[in-house]
Amino acid sequence: MNKVPHAMAVTSAVPAPSGPLGCDGRGDTALSAAPFVPPQFAGDTSGAAEGRAAMVARLEESGELRPGPVREALLALPRQVLMPQAYVRRSAPDETPPRWDLLDWSRPGDREELLERLHSGDSVAIQHDGEPILGRTAGPRRGGVMTAMSSTMGMTADLLQLLDLRPGQRVLDVGTGAGVTAAVACFLCGDAGVVTLDIAPHVTAAARERLSALGYQPTAVTGDGTAGWAETAPYDRVFVSFAVPRVPTALVEQLAPGGRALMTLGTSSPSWPGLAVIDKRPDGTVEAELRAVEFGHRAGAGFDRLFLSASFRKTITTADGWTQRSRLAPPADTARGMWLALDALYPGLVRHFGAEDLTVGAPECGSWMRVRAAGRRRWDVTTCGPRDIWAEIQDAAARWRAAGEPAAYRLHLDTDDAQRSTSPNGALTWQLPHAPGDS
Protein backbone atom coordinates (compact mmCIF):
# COMPACT_ATOMS: atom_id res chain seq x y z
CA MET A 1 0.00 0.00 0.00
CA ASN A 2 1.07 3.59 -0.54
CA LYS A 3 2.12 4.77 2.90
CA VAL A 4 2.27 8.37 4.00
CA PRO A 5 5.94 9.40 3.62
CA HIS A 6 7.98 8.84 6.77
CA ALA A 7 8.73 12.53 7.04
CA MET A 8 5.02 13.16 7.48
CA ALA A 9 4.51 10.73 10.34
CA VAL A 10 3.57 12.20 13.70
CA THR A 11 6.15 12.14 16.46
CA SER A 12 3.61 10.64 18.86
CA ALA A 13 -0.08 10.05 19.27
CA VAL A 14 -2.04 13.27 19.70
CA PRO A 15 -4.06 13.47 22.92
CA ALA A 16 -7.34 15.29 23.27
CA PRO A 17 -6.68 18.98 23.85
CA SER A 18 -5.96 19.81 27.46
CA GLY A 19 -5.86 23.59 27.28
CA PRO A 20 -9.17 25.46 27.49
CA LEU A 21 -11.15 22.22 27.33
CA GLY A 22 -11.13 19.77 30.20
CA CYS A 23 -13.27 16.69 30.82
CA ASP A 24 -14.80 15.25 33.97
CA GLY A 25 -15.29 11.84 32.32
CA ARG A 26 -18.90 12.45 31.29
CA GLY A 27 -18.31 14.76 28.32
CA ASP A 28 -18.91 17.97 30.32
CA THR A 29 -16.37 20.71 29.91
CA ALA A 30 -14.64 22.98 32.35
CA LEU A 31 -12.70 26.14 31.61
CA SER A 32 -8.99 26.29 32.26
CA ALA A 33 -6.66 29.24 32.22
CA ALA A 34 -3.90 27.23 30.56
CA PRO A 35 -3.28 28.32 26.95
CA PHE A 36 -4.02 25.83 24.21
CA VAL A 37 -0.91 24.53 22.45
CA PRO A 38 -1.61 22.63 19.19
CA PRO A 39 0.35 19.41 18.69
CA GLN A 40 3.25 19.50 16.25
CA PHE A 41 3.59 17.01 13.40
CA ALA A 42 7.04 16.01 12.18
CA GLY A 43 7.61 17.00 8.58
CA ASP A 44 4.71 19.47 8.48
CA THR A 45 6.13 22.03 6.10
CA SER A 46 6.00 25.75 6.64
CA GLY A 47 4.02 26.04 3.40
CA ALA A 48 1.36 23.65 4.71
CA ALA A 49 1.14 25.47 8.05
CA GLU A 50 0.87 28.81 6.25
CA GLY A 51 -1.85 27.38 3.98
CA ARG A 52 -3.89 26.23 6.98
CA ALA A 53 -3.48 29.59 8.69
CA ALA A 54 -4.62 31.43 5.57
CA MET A 55 -7.62 29.11 5.16
CA VAL A 56 -8.62 29.63 8.79
CA ALA A 57 -8.22 33.40 8.43
CA ARG A 58 -10.57 33.42 5.43
CA LEU A 59 -13.13 31.35 7.31
CA GLU A 60 -12.96 33.78 10.23
CA GLU A 61 -13.30 36.78 7.94
CA SER A 62 -16.41 35.27 6.31
CA GLY A 63 -17.96 34.57 9.71
CA GLU A 64 -18.03 30.80 9.18
CA LEU A 65 -15.45 30.12 11.90
CA ARG A 66 -15.22 31.55 15.40
CA PRO A 67 -12.50 31.37 18.06
CA GLY A 68 -12.73 28.04 19.85
CA PRO A 69 -11.78 24.38 19.68
CA VAL A 70 -12.83 23.80 16.06
CA ARG A 71 -10.59 26.65 14.95
CA GLU A 72 -7.68 25.18 16.90
CA ALA A 73 -8.26 21.77 15.35
CA LEU A 74 -8.29 23.17 11.81
CA LEU A 75 -5.09 25.08 12.52
CA ALA A 76 -3.35 22.01 13.90
CA LEU A 77 -4.40 19.14 11.64
CA PRO A 78 -2.22 18.79 8.50
CA ARG A 79 -4.58 18.28 5.58
CA GLN A 80 -1.80 16.90 3.39
CA VAL A 81 -1.58 13.87 5.69
CA LEU A 82 -5.30 13.17 5.31
CA MET A 83 -5.23 13.94 1.59
CA PRO A 84 -1.73 13.20 0.23
CA GLN A 85 -3.41 12.77 -3.16
CA ALA A 86 -6.25 14.85 -4.61
CA TYR A 87 -7.86 15.45 -7.98
CA VAL A 88 -7.98 18.71 -9.92
CA ARG A 89 -10.21 19.12 -12.94
CA ARG A 90 -8.45 20.09 -16.16
CA SER A 91 -11.54 20.25 -18.42
CA ALA A 92 -14.16 22.97 -18.77
CA PRO A 93 -17.30 22.60 -16.60
CA ASP A 94 -19.48 21.17 -19.40
CA GLU A 95 -16.74 19.41 -21.35
CA THR A 96 -17.31 15.69 -21.88
CA PRO A 97 -15.70 13.44 -21.05
CA PRO A 98 -14.17 15.36 -18.13
CA ARG A 99 -10.42 15.30 -17.63
CA TRP A 100 -8.71 15.12 -14.24
CA ASP A 101 -5.20 15.03 -12.80
CA LEU A 102 -4.41 13.20 -9.57
CA LEU A 103 -1.82 15.24 -7.68
CA ASP A 104 0.52 13.48 -5.24
CA TRP A 105 2.34 14.95 -2.25
CA SER A 106 5.28 12.59 -2.81
CA ARG A 107 5.99 14.31 -6.15
CA PRO A 108 7.72 17.66 -5.44
CA GLY A 109 6.34 19.16 -8.64
CA ASP A 110 2.77 18.60 -7.41
CA ARG A 111 3.12 20.00 -3.91
CA GLU A 112 2.46 23.68 -4.54
CA GLU A 113 -0.73 23.04 -6.51
CA LEU A 114 -1.84 20.33 -4.08
CA LEU A 115 -1.39 22.62 -1.07
CA GLU A 116 -3.31 25.36 -2.86
CA ARG A 117 -6.14 22.91 -3.58
CA LEU A 118 -6.26 21.50 -0.05
CA HIS A 119 -6.42 24.94 1.56
CA SER A 120 -8.67 26.70 -0.95
CA GLY A 121 -11.73 26.00 1.19
CA ASP A 122 -13.44 24.29 -1.76
CA SER A 123 -14.44 20.64 -1.82
CA VAL A 124 -11.57 18.27 -2.60
CA ALA A 125 -12.13 15.17 -4.75
CA ILE A 126 -10.20 12.13 -3.52
CA GLN A 127 -11.70 9.12 -5.34
CA HIS A 128 -12.52 8.49 -9.01
CA ASP A 129 -15.11 5.88 -10.01
CA GLY A 130 -14.82 3.93 -6.75
CA GLU A 131 -11.14 3.15 -7.29
CA PRO A 132 -8.79 1.86 -4.54
CA ILE A 133 -7.31 4.96 -2.89
CA LEU A 134 -4.21 3.39 -1.38
CA GLY A 135 -1.46 2.31 -3.77
CA ARG A 136 -2.75 4.16 -6.85
CA THR A 137 -0.58 5.99 -9.36
CA ALA A 138 -0.81 9.74 -9.78
CA GLY A 139 -1.53 11.26 -13.15
CA PRO A 140 -4.41 11.92 -15.57
CA ARG A 141 -7.87 10.36 -15.55
CA ARG A 142 -10.56 10.70 -18.20
CA GLY A 143 -14.34 10.35 -17.95
CA GLY A 144 -16.16 8.89 -14.97
CA VAL A 145 -17.23 10.68 -11.82
CA MET A 146 -15.78 11.57 -8.46
CA THR A 147 -17.14 9.22 -5.81
CA ALA A 148 -15.58 10.56 -2.59
CA MET A 149 -14.51 13.99 -1.48
CA SER A 150 -13.87 16.35 1.38
CA SER A 151 -16.68 18.92 1.73
CA THR A 152 -16.22 22.68 1.54
CA MET A 153 -14.52 23.97 4.66
CA GLY A 154 -16.95 26.81 5.32
CA MET A 155 -19.90 24.45 5.62
CA THR A 156 -17.83 21.87 7.52
CA ALA A 157 -16.55 24.41 10.04
CA ASP A 158 -20.01 25.82 10.63
CA LEU A 159 -21.52 22.38 11.22
CA LEU A 160 -18.70 21.20 13.48
CA GLN A 161 -19.24 24.25 15.67
CA LEU A 162 -22.96 23.57 15.79
CA LEU A 163 -22.20 19.95 16.70
CA ASP A 164 -20.43 21.22 19.86
CA LEU A 165 -17.82 18.49 20.19
CA ARG A 166 -16.32 18.07 23.67
CA PRO A 167 -13.69 15.85 25.28
CA GLY A 168 -14.85 12.36 26.13
CA GLN A 169 -17.89 12.36 23.84
CA ARG A 170 -18.78 9.33 21.75
CA VAL A 171 -19.06 10.39 18.11
CA LEU A 172 -20.48 8.65 15.03
CA ASP A 173 -19.13 10.21 11.83
CA VAL A 174 -21.32 8.93 8.98
CA GLY A 175 -19.72 9.33 5.55
CA THR A 176 -15.97 9.24 6.18
CA GLY A 177 -14.77 10.88 2.97
CA ALA A 178 -11.24 12.17 3.47
CA GLY A 179 -11.48 11.77 7.23
CA VAL A 180 -11.50 15.48 8.08
CA THR A 181 -14.50 15.30 10.41
CA ALA A 182 -13.18 12.14 12.04
CA ALA A 183 -9.80 13.82 12.61
CA VAL A 184 -11.42 16.86 14.22
CA ALA A 185 -13.54 14.58 16.40
CA CYS A 186 -10.43 12.64 17.49
CA PHE A 187 -8.58 15.87 18.17
CA LEU A 188 -11.38 17.34 20.30
CA CYS A 189 -12.95 14.26 21.90
CA GLY A 190 -10.17 11.69 21.99
CA ASP A 191 -10.16 8.84 19.49
CA ALA A 192 -11.41 6.08 21.83
CA GLY A 193 -15.07 7.01 21.36
CA VAL A 194 -14.98 7.98 17.66
CA VAL A 195 -16.52 5.75 14.97
CA THR A 196 -16.24 6.75 11.32
CA LEU A 197 -18.47 4.86 8.89
CA ASP A 198 -18.49 4.80 5.09
CA ILE A 199 -20.24 2.66 2.50
CA ALA A 200 -17.07 2.31 0.39
CA PRO A 201 -14.39 -0.08 1.71
CA HIS A 202 -11.59 1.72 -0.17
CA VAL A 203 -12.55 4.98 1.54
CA THR A 204 -12.56 3.26 4.93
CA ALA A 205 -9.14 1.67 4.34
CA ALA A 206 -7.55 4.96 3.29
CA ALA A 207 -9.03 6.89 6.21
CA ARG A 208 -7.91 4.26 8.70
CA GLU A 209 -4.30 4.46 7.46
CA ARG A 210 -4.19 8.24 7.24
CA LEU A 211 -5.82 8.85 10.61
CA SER A 212 -3.27 6.42 12.04
CA ALA A 213 -0.54 8.56 10.48
CA LEU A 214 -1.86 11.39 12.64
CA GLY A 215 -1.63 9.20 15.72
CA TYR A 216 -5.34 8.41 15.90
CA GLN A 217 -6.99 4.98 16.13
CA PRO A 218 -10.75 5.54 15.82
CA THR A 219 -13.03 2.69 14.83
CA ALA A 220 -13.15 2.91 11.02
CA VAL A 221 -15.83 0.63 9.55
CA THR A 222 -17.65 -0.03 6.28
CA GLY A 223 -21.43 -0.20 6.06
CA ASP A 224 -24.69 1.52 5.23
CA GLY A 225 -24.54 4.93 6.85
CA THR A 226 -28.31 5.19 7.24
CA ALA A 227 -28.18 2.08 9.47
CA GLY A 228 -25.54 3.62 11.71
CA TRP A 229 -23.22 1.40 13.75
CA ALA A 230 -25.11 -0.22 16.58
CA GLU A 231 -22.14 -2.17 17.98
CA THR A 232 -20.75 0.85 19.83
CA ALA A 233 -23.94 2.89 20.29
CA PRO A 234 -25.19 5.08 21.84
CA TYR A 235 -23.42 8.22 20.64
CA ASP A 236 -23.34 11.71 22.07
CA ARG A 237 -22.92 13.21 18.60
CA VAL A 238 -23.91 11.96 15.15
CA PHE A 239 -22.70 13.79 12.05
CA VAL A 240 -23.90 12.79 8.57
CA SER A 241 -21.87 14.20 5.67
CA PHE A 242 -24.24 13.32 2.83
CA ALA A 243 -27.82 14.33 2.07
CA VAL A 244 -30.72 12.04 2.91
CA PRO A 245 -34.41 12.39 1.94
CA ARG A 246 -35.61 11.67 5.51
CA VAL A 247 -34.07 11.17 8.95
CA PRO A 248 -32.81 7.58 9.29
CA THR A 249 -34.60 6.03 12.26
CA ALA A 250 -31.54 3.99 13.24
CA LEU A 251 -29.45 7.12 13.76
CA VAL A 252 -32.03 8.61 16.12
CA GLU A 253 -32.22 5.34 18.03
CA GLN A 254 -28.42 5.28 18.39
CA LEU A 255 -28.32 8.84 19.76
CA ALA A 256 -27.69 8.98 23.51
CA PRO A 257 -29.87 11.04 25.86
CA GLY A 258 -28.51 14.57 25.77
CA GLY A 259 -27.06 13.91 22.32
CA ARG A 260 -27.27 15.80 19.04
CA ALA A 261 -27.35 14.71 15.38
CA LEU A 262 -26.89 16.85 12.27
CA MET A 263 -27.67 15.95 8.67
CA THR A 264 -28.70 17.54 5.37
CA LEU A 265 -32.28 16.76 4.33
CA GLY A 266 -33.09 17.22 0.68
CA THR A 267 -35.40 16.25 -2.13
CA SER A 268 -34.45 15.24 -5.66
CA SER A 269 -33.39 18.86 -6.20
CA PRO A 270 -29.97 20.02 -4.97
CA SER A 271 -31.03 23.68 -4.97
CA TRP A 272 -32.68 24.27 -1.58
CA PRO A 273 -31.32 22.05 1.21
CA GLY A 274 -32.46 21.85 4.80
CA LEU A 275 -30.39 21.08 7.87
CA ALA A 276 -31.95 18.68 10.37
CA VAL A 277 -30.86 19.43 13.94
CA ILE A 278 -31.97 16.57 16.18
CA ASP A 279 -31.60 16.73 19.97
CA LYS A 280 -32.47 13.90 22.32
CA ARG A 281 -33.46 15.16 25.76
CA PRO A 282 -32.20 13.48 28.93
CA ASP A 283 -35.56 11.69 29.25
CA GLY A 284 -35.13 10.18 25.77
CA THR A 285 -37.71 12.30 23.95
CA VAL A 286 -36.63 13.86 20.66
CA GLU A 287 -36.83 17.47 19.58
CA ALA A 288 -35.94 18.19 15.94
CA GLU A 289 -35.80 21.23 13.69
CA LEU A 290 -35.39 21.64 9.93
CA ARG A 291 -33.47 24.80 9.12
CA ALA A 292 -33.36 26.36 5.68
CA VAL A 293 -29.70 26.76 4.73
CA GLU A 294 -27.78 28.02 1.73
CA PHE A 295 -25.50 25.01 1.36
CA GLY A 296 -25.86 21.32 2.16
CA HIS A 297 -24.03 18.06 1.62
CA ARG A 298 -24.27 16.13 -1.64
CA ALA A 299 -26.69 13.27 -2.02
CA GLY A 300 -25.71 9.92 -0.57
CA ALA A 301 -25.52 6.57 -2.35
CA GLY A 302 -28.79 5.54 -3.98
CA PHE A 303 -30.30 9.03 -3.68
CA ASP A 304 -30.76 10.29 -7.25
CA ARG A 305 -30.63 14.02 -7.81
CA LEU A 306 -32.01 16.09 -10.66
CA PHE A 307 -29.74 18.41 -12.59
CA LEU A 308 -29.94 20.93 -15.41
CA SER A 309 -27.97 19.74 -18.42
CA ALA A 310 -25.85 22.20 -20.38
CA SER A 311 -28.35 22.21 -23.25
CA PHE A 312 -31.31 22.77 -20.91
CA ARG A 313 -29.50 25.63 -19.16
CA LYS A 314 -28.86 27.26 -22.52
CA THR A 315 -32.51 26.85 -23.49
CA ILE A 316 -33.96 28.46 -20.39
CA THR A 317 -31.58 31.42 -20.55
CA THR A 318 -31.95 32.17 -24.27
CA ALA A 319 -35.14 30.62 -25.70
CA ASP A 320 -38.46 32.41 -26.21
CA GLY A 321 -41.59 31.49 -24.29
CA TRP A 322 -44.80 33.06 -23.10
CA THR A 323 -43.96 36.34 -21.35
CA GLN A 324 -46.16 38.23 -18.93
CA ARG A 325 -45.44 41.41 -17.01
CA SER A 326 -45.91 41.08 -13.29
CA ARG A 327 -46.00 43.44 -10.35
CA LEU A 328 -45.27 40.55 -8.01
CA ALA A 329 -41.63 40.55 -7.00
CA PRO A 330 -39.74 37.28 -7.09
CA PRO A 331 -38.88 36.08 -3.58
CA ALA A 332 -35.45 37.11 -2.35
CA ASP A 333 -32.64 34.58 -2.36
CA THR A 334 -32.34 35.14 1.39
CA ALA A 335 -35.94 33.97 1.93
CA ARG A 336 -34.54 30.47 2.38
CA GLY A 337 -37.52 29.23 4.36
CA MET A 338 -39.74 29.97 1.36
CA TRP A 339 -37.48 28.18 -1.12
CA LEU A 340 -37.27 25.18 1.20
CA ALA A 341 -41.07 25.06 1.34
CA LEU A 342 -41.30 25.42 -2.47
CA ASP A 343 -39.02 22.42 -2.90
CA ALA A 344 -41.26 20.32 -0.67
CA LEU A 345 -44.62 21.55 -1.97
CA TYR A 346 -43.66 21.54 -5.68
CA PRO A 347 -40.86 18.99 -6.09
CA GLY A 348 -38.80 18.52 -9.23
CA LEU A 349 -37.53 22.09 -9.63
CA VAL A 350 -33.85 23.02 -9.99
CA ARG A 351 -32.46 26.52 -9.95
CA HIS A 352 -29.77 27.69 -12.34
CA PHE A 353 -27.68 29.73 -9.91
CA GLY A 354 -25.21 30.71 -12.62
CA ALA A 355 -27.82 32.68 -14.55
CA GLU A 356 -28.04 36.45 -14.25
CA ASP A 357 -31.79 36.35 -13.65
CA LEU A 358 -33.96 34.09 -11.51
CA THR A 359 -34.02 30.92 -13.61
CA VAL A 360 -35.71 27.66 -12.64
CA GLY A 361 -36.26 24.46 -14.62
CA ALA A 362 -38.13 21.20 -14.19
CA PRO A 363 -35.90 18.64 -15.93
CA GLU A 364 -38.39 15.78 -15.81
CA CYS A 365 -41.03 17.56 -17.90
CA GLY A 366 -38.98 20.26 -19.64
CA SER A 367 -40.80 23.21 -18.08
CA TRP A 368 -38.82 26.34 -17.27
CA MET A 369 -39.15 29.92 -16.10
CA ARG A 370 -37.03 33.04 -15.97
CA VAL A 371 -37.74 36.41 -14.36
CA ARG A 372 -36.11 39.65 -15.47
CA ALA A 373 -36.46 43.15 -14.03
CA ALA A 374 -38.44 45.43 -16.37
CA GLY A 375 -38.30 48.75 -14.57
CA ARG A 376 -39.50 49.98 -11.21
CA ARG A 377 -41.58 47.28 -9.54
CA ARG A 378 -42.11 45.45 -12.81
CA TRP A 379 -40.80 42.04 -13.86
CA ASP A 380 -41.04 40.15 -17.13
CA VAL A 381 -41.84 36.51 -16.42
CA THR A 382 -41.20 34.05 -19.25
CA THR A 383 -42.48 30.50 -18.90
CA CYS A 384 -42.60 27.40 -21.06
CA GLY A 385 -43.87 23.85 -20.61
CA PRO A 386 -46.75 22.12 -18.82
CA ARG A 387 -45.87 23.47 -15.37
CA ASP A 388 -46.52 27.08 -14.42
CA ILE A 389 -43.45 27.45 -12.22
CA TRP A 390 -44.08 31.15 -11.56
CA ALA A 391 -47.55 30.35 -10.16
CA GLU A 392 -46.04 27.59 -8.02
CA ILE A 393 -43.46 30.00 -6.60
CA GLN A 394 -46.06 32.64 -5.82
CA ASP A 395 -48.34 30.08 -4.14
CA ALA A 396 -45.50 28.78 -1.98
CA ALA A 397 -44.51 32.38 -1.13
CA ALA A 398 -48.08 33.27 -0.08
CA ARG A 399 -48.35 30.18 2.13
CA TRP A 400 -44.91 30.92 3.63
CA ARG A 401 -45.92 34.50 4.46
CA ALA A 402 -49.15 33.26 6.07
CA ALA A 403 -47.02 30.94 8.18
CA GLY A 404 -45.03 33.90 9.53
CA GLU A 405 -42.09 33.71 7.11
CA PRO A 406 -40.24 31.00 9.06
CA ALA A 407 -36.56 30.26 8.48
CA ALA A 408 -36.92 26.94 10.30
CA TYR A 409 -39.63 24.33 10.74
CA ARG A 410 -40.39 21.87 13.46
CA LEU A 411 -39.48 18.35 12.38
CA HIS A 412 -41.84 15.68 13.65
CA LEU A 413 -40.49 12.13 13.85
CA ASP A 414 -43.71 10.27 14.62
CA THR A 415 -43.92 6.86 16.22
CA ASP A 416 -45.42 5.29 13.07
CA ASP A 417 -42.23 6.22 11.18
CA ALA A 418 -43.98 9.13 9.45
CA GLN A 419 -41.99 12.34 9.27
CA ARG A 420 -43.32 15.83 8.61
CA SER A 421 -42.25 19.46 8.78
CA THR A 422 -44.48 22.15 10.28
CA SER A 423 -44.10 25.91 10.61
CA PRO A 424 -44.09 27.26 14.18
CA ASN A 425 -47.70 28.47 13.84
CA GLY A 426 -48.84 25.22 12.21
CA ALA A 427 -50.10 26.94 9.05
CA LEU A 428 -47.61 25.31 6.68
CA THR A 429 -46.77 21.62 6.74
CA TRP A 430 -45.56 18.83 4.46
CA GLN A 431 -44.74 15.14 4.68
CA LEU A 432 -41.26 13.79 4.18
CA PRO A 433 -40.98 10.71 1.94
CA HIS A 434 -41.46 7.32 3.55
CA ALA A 435 -38.59 4.90 3.92
CA PRO A 436 -38.14 2.44 1.03
CA GLY A 437 -40.57 -0.43 1.38
CA ASP A 438 -43.12 1.53 3.42
CA SER A 439 -46.61 1.89 2.05
Side-chain angles (χ1 to χ4, degrees):
M1 292 187 295
N2 185 28
K3 299 286 185 179
V4 176
H6 177 72
M8 296 304 301
V10 294
T11 54
S12 61
V14 183
S18 58
L21 292 177
C23 181
D24 65 0
R26 298 171 300 173
D28 298 327
T29 58
L31 294 177
S32 168
F36 176 80
V37 180
Q40 299 299 312
F41 295 91
D44 191 16
T45 67
S46 60
E50 291 169 0
R52 290 197 302 277
M55 179 186 72
V56 166
R58 291 193 301 271
L59 294 172
E60 290 181 296
E61 184 177 356
S62 68
E64 295 164 308
L65 184 62
R66 303 179 298 277
V70 172
R71 177 186 182 276
E72 303 305 331
L74 296 181
L75 273 177
L77 293 169
R79 292 169 65 80
Q80 73 277 12
V81 175
L82 291 171
M83 294 173 280
Q85 293 180 320
Y87 283 98
V88 293
R89 185 162 185 158
R90 300 304 191 195
S91 53
D94 291 321
E95 182 180 334
T96 56
R99 293 176 289 108
W100 311 83
D101 271 347
L102 179 63
L103 304 179
D104 192 322
W105 178 261
S106 67
R107 303 199 304 186
D110 287 354
R111 288 191 178 183
E112 182 177 355
E113 186 176 10
L114 180 58
L115 284 179
E116 180 180 353
R117 183 65 189 168
L118 296 183
H119 299 103
S120 66
D122 296 333
S123 60
V124 180
I126 63 167
Q127 186 190 45
H128 178 259
D129 276 352
E131 67 188 341
I133 296 175
L134 299 173
R136 62 189 170 180
T137 302
R141 306 287 194 276
R142 189 175 179 85
V145 295
M146 292 296 145
T147 47
M149 64 181 54
S150 175
S151 300
T152 59
M153 280 312 305
M155 179 177 66
T156 299
D158 186 56
L159 292 175
L160 286 171
Q161 291 170 120
L162 180 60
L163 199 62
D164 190 23
L165 294 170
R166 304 183 185 190
Q169 286 178 334
R170 298 154 294 175
V171 180
L172 177 61
D173 168 41
V174 183
T176 302
V180 173
T181 301
V184 172
C186 290
F187 183 91
L188 297 179
C189 306
D191 61 4
V194 175
V195 177
T196 184
L197 170 65
D198 200 277
I199 197 171
H202 295 313
V203 171
T204 301
R208 183 183 295 116
E209 178 168 306
R210 291 165 181 176
L211 288 165
S212 179
L214 292 178
Y216 298 132
Q217 301 292 332
T219 301
V221 292
T222 302
D224 178 4
T226 61
W229 194 254
E231 292 184 20
T232 48
Y235 304 100
D236 302 300
R237 297 291 185 266
V238 175
F239 183 90
V240 182
S241 60
F242 55 85
V244 291
R246 70 194 317 273
V247 176
T249 302
L251 298 183
V252 179
E253 293 174 346
Q254 293 171 26
L255 193 62
R260 166 168 286 189
L262 300 179
M263 64 195 72
T264 297
L265 287 189
T267 66
S268 59
S269 171
S271 299
W272 303 290
L275 175 66
V277 181
I278 304 161
D279 293 308
K280 184 173 284 189
R281 300 188 187 96
D283 64 2
T285 57
V286 174
E287 183 176 82
E289 183 178 63
L290 183 61
R291 302 178 184 179
V293 292
E294 183 175 6
F295 302 110
H297 284 113
R298 296 170 182 259
F303 183 7
D304 293 331
R305 287 292 186 101
L306 298 172
F307 69 98
L308 301 178
S309 66
S311 60
F312 194 22
R313 294 199 306 271
K314 181 178 180 180
T315 295
I316 59 180
T317 53
T318 62
D320 293 329
W322 182 66
T323 300
Q324 59 179 313
R325 181 150 293 181
S326 175
R327 294 190 178 189
L328 294 174
D333 290 352
T334 53
R336 305 198 197 285
M338 192 290 302
W339 294 107
L340 180 63
L342 171 74
D343 191 31
L345 298 171
Y346 295 100
L349 301 177
V350 182
R351 176 151 179 194
H352 178 17
F353 284 101
E356 182 178 352
D357 306 301
L358 174 62
T359 304
V360 179
E364 292 180 321
C365 69
S367 301
W368 55 266
M369 177 215 72
R370 65 173 182 258
V371 182
R372 290 176 175 168
R376 187 172 183 270
R377 297 182 181 178
R378 299 287 191 281
W379 290 268
D380 283 340
V381 181
T382 303
T383 58
C384 183
R387 290 181 63 169
D388 188 344
I389 298 175
W390 178 245
E392 293 174 354
I393 290 175
Q394 292 300 333
D395 177 67
R399 295 168 69 176
W400 174 69
R401 287 191 291 269
E405 302 187 357
Y409 299 84
R410 185 178 177 186
L411 189 57
H412 303 265
L413 309 178
D414 299 330
T415 55
D416 60 356
D417 207 30
Q419 298 183 8
R420 54 195 171 91
S421 292
T422 305
S423 61
N425 67 0
L428 179 57
T429 186
W430 64 85
Q431 295 286 332
L432 274 64
H434 281 273
D438 289 353
S439 58

